[in-house]
């Protein structure tokens, strides 16, 4: 594998959406979604919304997902019960 192929592979992985669902999502503005979904790309929150149906490729996490504003982007943290 060439260095250019490795860079493309890493870049593609960073663009993949990781979808997490939890019983409670605390947003940076203090509001909450219960139950909620958080979508991440490269570790950055790109979307949050209420969970209304089972979604494919969704990771269920125990506890609460807390979203914090850090350095002009929102990051998600999982607080375990």
């Amino acid at each position: 594998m060439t260095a250019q192929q490795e860079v493309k592979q890493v870049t593609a992985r960073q663009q993949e959406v990781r979808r997490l669902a939890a019983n409670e999502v605390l947003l940076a503005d203090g509001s909450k979604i219960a139950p909620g979904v958080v979508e991440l790309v490269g570790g950055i929150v790109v979307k949050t919304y209420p969970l209304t149906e089972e979604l494919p490729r969704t990771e269920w996490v125990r506890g609460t997902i807390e979203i914090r504003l850090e350095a002009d982007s929102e990051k998600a943290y999982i607080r375990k019960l």
Side-chain angles (χ1 to χ4, degrees):
M1 180 179 295
T2 68
Q4 186 177 14
Q5 288 172 322
E6 286 182 36
V7 168
K8 284 183 181 179
Q9 195 172 37
V10 169
T11 303
R13 261 188 263 126
Q14 289 174 339
Q15 296 304 313
E16 289 180 15
V17 174
R18 181 177 179 200
R19 185 180 299 127
L20 303 174
N23 287 329
E24 185 174 71
V25 176
L26 299 178
L27 304 177
D29 67 3
S31 61
K32 74 176 176 179
I33 303 170
V37 178
V38 177
E39 292 186 3
L40 306 159
V41 173
I44 305 297
V45 176
V46 293
K47 192 173 185 182
T48 59
Y49 49 92
L51 179 68
T52 58
E53 62 184 342
E54 190 158 331
L55 301 167
R57 297 181 50 129
T58 301
E59 299 174 52
W60 276 93
V61 295
R62 289 182 72 177
T64 298
I65 299 173
E66 183 177 351
I67 299 174
R68 297 184 200 151
L69 185 60
E70 292 185 2
D72 298 327
S73 64
E74 291 183 322
K75 296 210 173 182
Y77 297 89
I78 300 169
R79 288 195 290 169
K80 300 279 184 177
L81 293 175

